[in-house]
Amino acid sequence: MSETPLLPQSNAVFLAAGIGTWRWSAASGEFQLSDDGIEMLQVRDDELPLSTDTILGQILDEDVDDFQAAMAQLMAEPGLIKVDFRALLDDGETRWYRAVGQSYESDDGRVTHASGVLVDVTGQHNAEQYFDTFFQQPNGMHLVASIDGVIALANSAWQLALGYTASELIGRNFLDLVHEEDQESTVAEMVNLSKGLKTLYFENRYRHKDGSYRVIAWSAATADRESVICAVGRDISEEHAARRELLQAAAVFNKSGEGILISDADGRIRDVNAAFSRITGYSREEAIGESTNLLRSGRHDADFYQEMWRSLQKNGVWRGEIWNRRKSGTVFPELLTISKIDGQDGGFMAIFTDISQLKETEAQLQKLAHYDPLTNLPNRFLINERLEQGIRRAQRRSDHLAIFFLDIDGFKNINDSLGHLTGDRLLSITADRLKDVLREDDSVGRIGGDEFLIILDDIASPNDATNIAEKIIGALRKPITLEGRSISVSASIGISMFPEDGQTAETLMSNADAAMYNAKDQGRDTFRFYSEHLTRQAFQNVLIDSALHEAMARNELRLAFQPQVINDSQTLLGLEVLLRWHHPTLGTVPPAQFIPQAERTGLIRNIGHWVLEQACIQGSQWIAEGLEFGHLAVNVSAPQFRAEDFVGQVKRVLEDTQFPPEKLELELTESVLVQDTDALIKSMRELRDLGVMFAIDDFGTGYSSLSYLKRMPIDRLKLDKSFVDNIVSDESDRIIAGAVLALGDALGLPVIAEGIEQDSQAQVLKELGCTHFQGFLYGMPMYAPRAEVLLRAHKA
């Protein structure tokens, strides 16, 4: 089975961060889910590992067959599968999910496993349902077709008008139904549409399923960069017949559903029908004798009416859309056809239809296509279009443009703890606050989830962008009442500038996104400007994320051990366990680079467990060989320690490896102590009861409270390397180091100074009273075979 340079194809789908992932094994028939996937499906611990039957138990009966068919396809042969299904969750909610994955085969052609992603598509399905309900309204012939005329969507109104069901039309070219005499004009109108022009009113004849022809009036426009026609039509066959017979058939005149007005050559009204009165509010008696100007709305200028009369004089007819005014004063849109009446008593005949509902329909379609239904902000398509327009304006004017990529901090936690409705409410409030802060010419859109894109036109300098970013962050910090609770949220903002940071919309958005993640890394609730370094860093992070998923499976991770000594290397205190990663392509990846990535992606829990287990296995082997090493100091990350089952994991590892608990020291960074302190102390004491020791790493760099510190079962403090590097020349570092040593002495805790590389550093520390040392001066980190040589030397 072929592999990518960084990881097997079978796991390439795991790259999409923030999406639930799954893996299925043909050997066991079991599914493995990522933490996000388990959370999405609300899988209980006692249901793990998942079998196919367990998953089928959650799926609604109507969707079981589709899911089983997808599984059969997945097990039969390698390839890509996609299936949508509804799952009934424990809280009673039914949600739509989309599983996408790839199955893989061994060299002998058998499917061995499959992996993929799980996405919550409830919003998409709901939107499609709302669209379908709207689209299928029978009061208009809705049509979506390619620019060449191939029908993609057609609603049920076609059956009412022409006898064809939607299934009989989809995939068929609508030109096949157009009367041959109307095909040339229809093609000409399609050409206009392909150029981005809108069709306000167009008539042609369509063949009914019974062989007759009906006249359809259309309004249409193109979407998706002029490649798709969206049209709304109406059967006006009866109107055509009425126009032909109007002068001869008064009954048709009076019963027509369209307003009809007949005037003399000077524009004085001779007669109107009942529909005219119903639409305009003017009775027949009030209208006759008045000028047709009676209905003018004031929305059209003199040039509009002059062009109308020129067309009437030249062609004898004018068709188009016009705004008129009712007797009540309200303005309404109408489709109007004015025909010239020849003869001695000539004049004009106007037939019009109130298209207020059609306009509302067009507006709703426009909103569905371009606006986010939750926040009423422009969606990804529209805000991207505005960004491209802004870039073109800025290019013409040689102006600057600022792009903000904004992400709400901790939104997932709010969504998960308070519910999706509360999360939606938060998004709506955020949208309102953004609109209140931004200038009139600025644009803001929601591009998905809790992400917003802001476009700032006419930016004179980065300082302008800085001021607005600070206003936004300040506005979002204000408490919000949700579900009866006062909640404060924050946002991280990435900023890119045109033209310095990119010339295209795609580049500017990508760079602003990279800057936003940098703001997240810098502590959140802040903003950062883009730099080229962020792009390189983002690319490197993607590579590391990809490779890190397989590092343990490929045996690329190794443990190194660095001595900790007492009294200037006279006595071996213990060994700190350090993690090293050697990748065949990336080479040696520094821990400072891959550990933060592992914490962001959640891999740190598995990696941390592996480190603890391997360290205990190695320690037990050395004990069996009679080698004395003091203790093993294993670093534990915040996500790993805060996991609900961490204490249980440590107990199981100690039991499985037969490693003495009193020889294990867990190193916690000072930053771990600032959150959930009571729960942290409880876990520490439970492990301390077993004999496990604790050390606080990087002491002096965090913000831990001394009141909590004295309550914790701590055995050692570690003076951070940053205070040791310049301790010979920097008085401030000597003062801080002395204070930490004094604090340790007062609390009865030994202090280990780490990062010692020079004799002069060690001498200053000795003068300050330090007796525990660690650093290159006393021993480099070494792998187990070399460490064993050191241990045998100490034994001798």
Side-chain angles (χ1 to χ4, degrees):
M1 184 168 59
S2 62
E3 297 182 352
T4 66
L6 297 181
L7 74 170
Q9 280 185 343
S10 60
N11 281 339
V13 71
F14 285 92
L15 298 179
I19 297 176
T21 57
W22 58 267
R23 180 182 176 94
W24 170 82
S25 169
S28 65
E30 294 175 344
F31 283 86
Q32 293 179 344
L33 290 178
S34 67
D35 291 346
D36 287 340
I38 290 174
E39 206 167 296
M40 290 163 64
L41 292 176
Q42 297 183 5
V43 178
R44 300 188 303 272
D45 289 346
D46 60 356
E47 295 177 318
L48 296 174
L50 283 173
S51 66
T52 303
D53 289 339
T54 303
I55 293 179
L56 289 175
Q58 272 192 284
I59 298 176
L60 295 192
D61 293 343
E62 299 95 311
D63 301 334
V64 167
D65 289 343
D66 289 343
F67 188 90
Q68 289 180 321
M71 282 296 301
Q73 178 185 344
L74 180 145
M75 292 186 286
E77 58 184 3
L80 185 69
I81 61 104
K82 181 177 77 171
V83 62
D84 286 9
F85 62 92
R86 287 165 291 180
L88 181 61
L89 305 182
D90 289 343
D91 59 9
E93 183 181 15
T94 300
R95 297 193 69 80
W96 276 98
Y97 297 97
R98 175 169 297 154
V100 182
Q102 176 82 37
S103 56
Y104 301 89
E105 65 180 3
S106 59
D107 293 337
D108 59 3
R110 293 181 297 104
V111 171
T112 59
H113 66 286
S115 61
V117 297
L118 182 69
V119 185
D120 188 330
V121 293
T122 305
Q124 177 182 336
H125 272 270
N126 290 343
E128 290 172 354
Q129 180 182 358
Y130 298 151
F131 176 79
D132 288 343
T133 301
F134 174 79
F135 189 82
Q136 294 299 341
Q137 292 299 314
N139 59 350
M141 297 169 64
H142 299 310
L143 173 71
V144 177
S146 70
I147 200 64
D148 298 323
V150 178
I151 299 173
L153 292 172
N155 69 343
S156 58
W158 282 80
Q159 189 162 11
L160 295 175
L162 298 177
Y164 297 100
T165 63
S167 60
E168 292 173 322
L169 293 171
I170 293 176
R172 185 174 185 176
N173 197 304
F174 64 76
L175 289 172
D176 295 340
L177 303 177
V178 176
H179 195 290
E180 60 182 7
E181 294 177 4
D182 297 341
Q183 288 194 1
E184 182 177 351
S185 60
T186 302
V187 170
E189 197 66 25
M190 292 168 66
V191 170
N192 288 336
L193 286 169
S194 70
K195 296 177 181 178
L197 301 176
K198 292 183 179 181
T199 296
L200 297 177
Y201 187 84
F202 179 74
E203 297 178 2
N204 57 4
R205 288 168 287 179
Y206 275 70
R207 185 175 64 252
H208 194 279
K209 193 172 183 179
D210 62 10
S212 63
Y213 281 88
R214 307 288 290 178
V215 181
I216 309 298
W218 297 97
S219 63
T222 52
D224 195 17
R225 299 186 181 274
E226 290 73 51
S227 63
V228 176
I229 296 174
C230 299
V232 179
R234 185 172 56 86
D235 185 353
I236 61 168
S237 302
E238 299 303 325
E239 298 172 25
H240 265 254
R243 286 203 294 265
R244 289 195 303 268
E245 299 174 4
L246 180 60
L247 297 178
Q248 294 81 24
V252 175
F253 174 81
N254 290 324
K255 293 180 181 179
S256 173
E258 282 67 41
I260 301 175
L261 176 152
I262 299 175
S263 74
D264 59 22
D266 297 325
R268 293 288 170 183
I269 300 174
R270 289 178 178 171
D271 203 357
V272 297
N273 68 346
F276 172 94
S277 298
R278 186 182 70 252
I279 295 171
T280 68
Y282 289 101
S283 67
R284 185 169 180 270
E285 292 73 18
E286 290 173 322
I288 292 177
E290 295 291 336
S291 169
T292 53
N293 293 340
L294 175 73
L295 302 176
R296 285 197 178 185
S297 65
R299 285 201 176 188
H300 305 287
D301 57 20
D303 291 341
F304 175 86
Y305 292 106
Q306 288 174 6
E307 180 60 32
M308 174 192 294
W309 291 113
R310 276 196 295 268
S311 177
L312 278 170
Q313 295 299 330
K314 179 180 179 181
N315 304 317
V317 65
W318 181 89
R319 297 187 183 94
E321 184 178 311
I322 190 172
W323 289 83
N324 274 334
R325 188 179 301 275
R326 307 183 203 273
K327 182 181 179 180
S328 63
T330 59
V331 176
F332 69 100
E334 64 181 33
L335 282 176
L336 174 64
T337 299
I338 304 176
S339 301
K340 187 178 181 181
I341 302 173
D342 296 323
Q344 184 176 2
D345 296 325
F348 301 94
M349 177 179 65
I351 301 177
F352 62 92
T353 302
D354 183 349
I355 58 169
S356 300
Q357 184 178 359
L358 182 61
K359 280 289 184 182
E360 292 174 3
T361 299
E362 289 177 347
Q364 291 172 12
L365 283 173
Q366 175 77 2
K367 193 169 184 179
L368 284 173
H370 294 97
Y371 286 85
D372 171 47
L374 176 62
T375 62
N376 206 30
L377 293 177
N379 59 15
R380 178 183 290 271
F381 174 82
L382 182 55
I383 198 66
N384 186 73
E385 187 177 89
R386 290 185 179 178
L387 176 55
E388 290 178 344
Q389 292 171 354
I391 291 173
R392 288 193 291 270
R393 284 194 303 270
Q395 287 172 333
R396 288 195 303 269
R397 302 172 183 173
S398 297
D399 284 343
H400 290 272
L401 196 72
I403 309 303
F404 286 14
F405 201 109
L406 183 149
D407 182 272
I408 299 175
D409 298 327
F411 177 75
K412 184 178 182 301
N413 292 334
I414 294 174
N415 226 16
D416 292 343
S417 60
L418 300 182
H420 292 284
L421 291 178
T422 303
D424 290 346
R425 175 65 179 149
L426 173 59
L427 292 174
S428 296
I429 294 173
T430 300
D432 292 339
R433 291 187 175 182
L434 290 176
K435 287 185 288 187
D436 290 341
V437 170
L438 295 176
R439 304 170 303 178
E440 184 176 350
D441 293 336
D442 299 332
S443 296
V444 56
R446 182 187 175 207
I447 58 177
D450 60 333
E451 295 177 336
F452 297 83
L453 190 74
I454 300 168
I455 305 168
L456 305 180
D457 283 316
D458 193 20
I459 292 294
S461 71
N463 288 336
D464 292 342
T466 296
N467 293 335
I468 296 175
E470 289 175 343
K471 289 181 180 178
I472 290 173
I473 289 175
L476 296 185
R477 283 176 183 155
K478 296 177 181 177
I480 301 171
T481 301
L482 297 173
E483 296 296 319
R485 306 181 187 179
S486 180
I487 296 175
S488 295
V489 298
S490 62
S492 299
I493 300 175
I495 305 173
S496 63
M497 300 287 293
F498 172 87
E500 293 87 347
D501 299 330
Q503 304 288 321
T504 66
E506 181 179 2
T507 301
L508 289 168
M509 289 176 63
S510 176
N511 291 343
D513 189 20
M516 182 273 291
Y517 278 106
N518 182 245
K520 293 276 190 188
D521 292 339
Q522 298 302 315
R524 306 186 178 191
D525 193 25
T526 187
F527 63 90
R528 286 292 183 271
F529 282 87
Y530 168 78
S531 67
E532 187 176 347
H533 165 72
L534 291 180
T535 298
R536 293 193 301 269
Q537 184 183 43
F539 179 72
Q540 185 71 9
N541 289 345
V542 170
L543 294 179
I544 291 174
D545 284 348
S546 303
L548 198 55
H549 278 80
E550 289 299 311
M552 285 188 293
R554 295 186 178 192
N555 295 318
E556 294 170 1
L557 298 180
R558 298 182 64 183
L559 298 185
F561 302 87
Q562 186 174 32
Q564 297 174 336
V565 302
I566 303 176
N567 295 326
D568 200 5
S569 79
Q570 297 303 311
T571 305
L572 182 64
L573 173 67
L575 299 172
E576 180 175 3
V577 181
L578 302 171
L579 182 62
R580 296 293 183 261
W581 179 21
H582 299 277
H583 187 271
T585 303
L586 299 174
T588 299
V589 184
Q593 191 170 15
F594 74 82
I595 292 296
Q597 289 292 99
E599 291 179 342
R600 275 193 291 269
T601 59
L603 287 175
I604 193 63
R605 293 182 180 179
N606 290 337
I607 292 175
H609 183 272
W610 180 87
V611 170
L612 176 64
E613 185 177 52
Q614 294 301 310
C616 291
I617 290 173
Q618 182 63 69
S620 292
Q621 290 176 356
W622 284 335
I623 291 173
E625 295 173 14
L627 299 177
E628 179 57 45
F629 51 82
H631 65 262
L632 293 182
V634 179
N635 290 278
V636 178
S637 70
Q640 183 184 2
F641 194 87
R642 293 193 183 111
E644 291 183 2
D645 60 340
F646 177 72
V647 173
Q649 288 181 13
V650 175
K651 290 180 178 178
R652 285 192 295 273
V653 168
L654 292 172
E655 183 178 347
D656 292 343
T657 62
Q658 294 299 299
F659 187 70
E662 62 273 9
K663 285 188 170 294
L664 176 63
E665 180 178 86
L666 299 180
E667 290 193 3
L668 305 177
T669 60
E670 193 175 359
S671 59
V672 177
L673 311 181
V674 301
Q675 186 176 356
D676 298 329
T677 309
D678 290 335
L680 177 76
I681 293 174
K682 181 178 182 294
S683 298
M684 292 176 70
R685 287 177 174 169
E686 189 172 350
L687 290 173
R688 183 62 180 273
D689 289 342
L690 298 176
V692 177
M693 297 180 292
F694 288 95
I696 303 302
D697 197 9
D698 302 337
F699 190 78
T701 62
Y703 305 95
S704 60
S705 168
L706 294 180
S707 63
Y708 282 123
L709 195 61
K710 68 181 183 180
R711 293 170 50 199
M712 293 178 178
I714 298 170
D715 299 273
R716 250 176 288 277
L717 301 179
K718 297 192 72 176
L719 179 65
D720 188 66
K721 182 180 183 296
S722 63
F723 303 122
V724 175
D725 288 341
N726 300 309
I727 197 169
V728 176
S729 59
D730 193 317
E731 180 67 22
S732 297
D733 284 345
R734 286 198 298 273
I735 292 173
I736 293 174
V740 172
L741 288 164
L743 175 64
D745 185 58
L747 294 175
L749 299 176
V751 177
I752 300 178
E754 56 183 347
I756 304 172
E757 300 179 2
Q758 302 167 9
D759 284 325
S760 58
Q761 294 171 331
Q763 186 60 39
V764 172
L765 287 165
K766 292 175 187 177
E767 293 172 358
L768 292 173
C770 184
T771 59
H772 293 61
F773 307 93
Q774 179 180 344
F776 292 171
L777 184 63
Y778 305 103
M780 303 284 288
M782 59 194 80
Y783 295 127
R786 289 191 60 192
E788 188 170 323
V789 173
L790 174 69
L791 297 181
R792 293 189 185 280
H794 274 270
K795 181 179 180 181

